[in-house]
Amino acid sequence: KVSQTALRAIPCRALGLLTRLRRLLLSENGALETIGPGAFSDLPELVELTITKSRHLRYIHPDAFRDAGKLQYLTICNTGLRIFPDLTKIRSAAHGFVLDLQENSHLQRVPANAFRGLCSQTIREIRLTRNGIKEVASGAFNGTKMHRLFLRGNQELTSISPQAFAGSSELVVLDVSFTALSALPHPVLPGLRKLMAESAFQLRELPPPELFARLRQASLTYPSHCCAFHRVRRNRVGAAGSCGDLLVGHPRWLWPPAGPGGAPCAWSPELRRTATSTGTSAPTPAPSAAVPAQDAFNPCEDIMSSLFSRVLIWTVSVLALLGNAAVLLVLLGSRSKLTVPRFLMCHLAFSDLCMGVYLVVIATVDTLTRSRYYNHAIDWQTGLGCSAAGFFTVFASELSVFTLTAITLERWHTITHALQLHRRLRLRHACALMAAGWLFSGVSALLPTVGVSSYGKVSICLPMDVDSLASQIYVVSLLLLNILAFFCVCGCYLSIYLTVRKPSSAPAHADTRVAQRMAVLIFTDFICMAPISFFAVSAALKLPLITVSHAKLLLVLFYPINSCSNPFLYAFFTRSFRRDFFLLAARFGLFKTRAQIYR
């Protein structure tokens, strides 16, 4: 051990007399700057060499390790090296060679042929962890036979050349955790048995799972990536229940990290059977789970998990878009006076049109990512598209509920004060009311984009994140406001019903008929929202009663159904709308005969 010295250089053959030296540790030599040629050449029995904690070491001569034939462990750690050391002249013949080159923050590039000539046998491990490596050049591992390669912790590593592993062989373990890689090197994937890519947040898309022909264990960053291996794994004999499980592992160096007493921490069923047949006692297995495990919010499925839900969402979205666009076109194109009910109906049609936009976006993304959603989940759920879709749906749903409540209040006020014309709601009052509704809906939809809940929690981009107290308050508050609006509607129509039944205060026959029709329609709309509110409140209180898969179907069945039914119930089936439609069409030369009936 050579430690805490004032050495500035290790010259040629400095240790030449120590011919039987087997282990050498150079540690905490703060003044050490260079290691000269042949510094360790005359040590024929040297097995282990460690150079560490020498922050001023800038240069190691290419001949420093020449012909170290028995060297088995080489560690160069925590130095000031700026150029990747030349290791090609070591020419070790030792079995199980381990190279540990880590925490050298100034090393930025792994050059071509960096390990050619390092060892004539298969290298057990090459650890290039926590350096400053930014690039692995083409042919970097050319001529290298190695089992395990660790690039973990190189946080600026953005590129591994597609040809970096050209000429290399036998790689079965690859660790690229805590790097900035956006793609994996395809040539080595077919032979890998273990892949570690934890906290590799830029690695958002995996190669086709078929390339991982021999993969048995994967520790990944995103839960959705584990789904890529489910279908492939089902077809393999002896497959375990998750992509984080160790499925087979006969070579001992592929087993999980040793636990107390040196036993593996987790044994797969296949490995356990092998151990039993050979007389080895398998320890009690640790609980097996995918790494990372798929959570309840992101099951391994497409956005729409069934053909029925796909057909339904396209049907509802097309009806919502066409129906509400037609209502807006007729109402805004009509020459009739803009009354308060017509004004409110325009807002209702616009909010339902926004819901249709949301449904089309979700349906389109589902179509484009069908059977491959696992590779697009991260980009979609963390991207601008999901945030925009979520904004549209929250804005649309809240504005729709607000407008329906406003319509109900307007009808209640008109009927209960039918004989007091001076107390009727004016257009300016409706404008102020809807301005408040737009402001409320806009703020409600904007909050998840600034950290209060999140649209990226689930694939359908609804604010289902209730992890924080603020998020939980936000979600529960919206649901309670919707429930309150429902009871407000019920109360108003109960009052209207009682008013209509009083002969002494019976309003005009037309108003009574409209009120009764709208009572049935609006009450039906809110009944459709009841299942959503019930299950959503339970989920917001962290007492979910249904899974996300079932929630998607429920949302497609009930959540947007009003958006496609409102144009028919509130407009197409009413005489006033038909009158406006035929009169508008007659201006373009269509349905002139029918239009004459309404003139």
Side-chain angles (χ1 to χ4, degrees):
K1 178 179 180 180
V2 180
S3 177
Q4 298 179 339
T5 69
L7 287 173
R8 297 178 62 87
I10 299 179
C12 177
R13 308 185 189 281
L15 305 172
L17 298 179
L18 303 175
T19 56
R20 300 181 63 182
L21 183 66
R22 292 178 55 83
R23 291 177 175 82
L24 175 60
L25 170 63
L26 302 175
S27 177
E28 300 182 69
N29 296 287
L32 184 62
E33 296 179 356
T34 62
I35 296 178
F40 309 108
S41 295
D42 293 332
L43 302 174
E45 300 298 319
L46 187 64
V47 174
E48 181 176 351
L49 172 60
T50 301
I51 304 171
T52 183
K53 297 181 181 179
S54 301
R55 302 296 296 174
H56 291 91
L57 179 60
R58 299 288 190 270
Y59 178 71
I60 298 178
H61 194 276
D63 291 329
F65 309 106
R66 177 185 289 273
D67 297 328
K70 292 188 178 181
L71 188 63
Q72 187 175 8
Y73 302 97
L74 175 60
T75 301
I76 303 175
C77 174
N78 201 2
T79 69
L81 289 175
R82 284 171 166 76
I83 300 176
F84 201 90
D86 189 335
L87 308 173
T88 61
K89 298 179 182 180
I90 293 180
R91 302 188 184 96
S92 173
H95 292 274
F97 191 96
V98 175
L99 172 64
D100 193 347
L101 192 68
Q102 62 177 331
E103 296 184 6
N104 301 287
S105 58
H106 299 291
L107 289 181
Q108 298 185 357
R109 186 172 183 270
V110 181
N113 301 307
F115 310 97
R116 189 181 184 91
L118 175 61
C119 184
S120 59
Q121 306 297 322
T122 300
I123 299 173
R124 187 171 70 179
E125 288 186 13
I126 295 181
R127 305 169 186 163
L128 306 178
T129 58
R130 298 190 299 278
N131 295 299
I133 298 173
K134 299 180 180 180
E135 176 190 3
V136 179
S138 176
F141 301 98
N142 181 34
T144 306
K145 294 185 293 183
M146 56 183 168
H147 281 320
R148 295 191 280 189
L149 173 62
F150 296 88
L151 292 166
R152 169 185 291 261
N154 291 284
Q155 298 181 4
E156 297 182 61
L157 178 58
T158 58
S159 173
I160 296 180
S161 170
Q163 300 301 317
F165 294 90
S168 67
S169 60
E170 301 187 28
L171 183 65
V172 291
V173 177
L174 177 63
D175 187 352
V176 293
S177 303
F178 298 94
T179 65
L181 286 175
S182 58
L184 293 173
H186 285 207
V188 299
L189 301 183
L192 287 184
R193 295 189 182 182
K194 182 176 182 180
L195 172 64
M196 290 172 282
E198 301 168 357
S199 298
F201 296 107
Q202 299 303 313
L203 188 61
R204 299 187 174 190
E205 184 172 347
L206 289 181
E210 292 76 13
L211 283 180
F212 299 90
R214 302 178 65 195
L215 192 67
R216 298 295 181 265
Q217 183 179 6
S219 300
L220 306 174
T221 303
Y222 300 109
S224 59
H225 285 165
C226 280
C227 300
F229 304 104
H230 281 0
R231 180 180 59 188
V232 176
R233 190 178 56 253
R234 291 191 194 103
N235 298 327
R236 291 181 180 175
V237 178
S242 67
C243 74
D245 298 339
L246 210 64
L247 305 185
V248 294
H250 303 304
R252 187 172 186 86
W253 48 267
L254 275 177
W255 288 5
C265 293
W267 287 48
S268 70
E270 181 69 20
L271 184 58
R272 196 180 302 112
R273 286 193 295 270
T274 303
T276 303
S277 64
T278 57
T280 306
S281 59
T284 302
S288 61
V291 182
Q294 296 81 31
D295 57 34
F297 290 98
N298 294 283
C300 289
E301 62 185 22
D302 292 331
I303 297 178
M304 293 290 108
S305 55
S306 65
L307 179 61
F308 174 73
S309 59
R310 285 192 176 97
V311 173
L312 186 61
I313 193 173
W314 275 111
T315 303
V316 172
S317 61
V318 171
L319 288 175
L321 284 177
L322 295 181
N324 290 289
V327 171
L328 282 174
L329 180 64
V330 172
L331 291 179
L332 296 178
S334 174
R335 292 178 177 176
S336 301
K337 181 182 177 181
L338 183 62
T339 61
V340 171
R342 293 168 64 87
F343 175 76
L344 294 177
M345 280 303 303
C346 286
H347 286 272
L348 181 61
F350 178 79
S351 63
D352 290 340
L353 184 68
C354 290
M355 180 63 74
V357 172
Y358 160 76
L359 293 174
V360 166
V361 170
I362 295 297
T364 302
V365 174
D366 173 65
T367 301
L368 295 175
T369 62
R370 185 177 179 181
S371 300
R372 297 177 293 107
Y373 182 69
Y374 64 85
N375 245 356
H376 302 276
I378 306 306
D379 283 336
W380 166 242
Q381 291 179 220
T382 61
L384 184 60
C386 189
S387 296
F391 181 91
F392 266 105
T393 186
V394 172
F395 176 81
S397 63
E398 295 308 310
L399 184 61
S400 180
V401 170
F402 189 94
T403 307
L404 285 171
T405 307
I407 291 174
T408 306
L409 290 172
E410 189 274 335
R411 298 314 303 162
W412 169 78
H413 186 272
T414 299
I415 291 175
T416 54
H417 301 90
L419 302 179
Q420 303 175 28
L421 299 181
H422 66 282
R423 298 190 62 180
R424 289 204 172 189
L425 191 67
R426 306 298 179 187
L427 192 58
R428 66 176 183 274
H429 300 143
C431 290
L433 182 65
M434 290 313 301
W438 276 66
L439 180 62
F440 167 74
S441 302
V443 171
S444 298
L446 190 64
L447 285 176
T449 66
V450 295
V452 180
S453 191
S454 171
Y455 289 128
K457 187 73 171 180
V458 292
S459 60
I460 52 177
C461 306
L462 292 176
M464 290 188 173
D465 183 2
V466 290
D467 291 339
S468 67
L469 179 60
S471 300
Q472 196 168 1
I473 292 174
Y474 164 77
V475 173
V476 172
S477 298
L478 283 187
L479 295 171
L480 291 180
L481 285 174
N482 291 345
I483 294 173
L484 181 62
F486 168 73
F487 284 113
C488 177
V489 169
C490 291
C492 286
Y493 275 98
L494 178 62
S495 176
I496 291 174
Y497 177 74
L498 295 176
T499 300
V500 170
R501 290 196 61 185
K502 292 180 182 179
S504 60
S505 60
H509 177 69
D511 279 348
T512 302
R513 185 176 58 187
V514 171
Q516 290 173 337
R517 182 187 302 119
M518 297 190 75
V520 173
L521 300 178
I522 294 176
F523 186 77
T524 303
D525 286 340
F526 275 87
I527 284 295
C528 291
M529 296 176 58
I532 300 295
S533 299
F534 175 74
F535 289 112
V537 168
S538 68
L541 297 176
K542 299 185 178 182
L543 299 170
L545 301 177
I546 57 175
T547 65
V548 169
S549 300
H550 295 146
K552 289 179 184 178
L553 184 59
L554 186 69
L555 288 168
V556 174
L557 279 173
F558 293 102
Y559 185 55
I561 202 71
N562 295 337
S563 298
C564 69
S565 63
N566 284 341
F568 295 90
L569 300 177
Y570 288 99
F572 298 159
F573 296 159
T574 64
R575 178 180 174 82
S576 61
F577 181 85
R578 290 196 296 270
R579 174 183 177 275
D580 290 337
F581 172 76
F582 286 117
L583 290 178
L584 179 63
R587 289 160 54 186
F588 297 94
L590 303 173
F591 305 110
K592 290 185 177 181
T593 303
R594 294 291 300 273
Q596 290 298 328
I597 300 174
Y598 293 98
R599 291 190 186 277

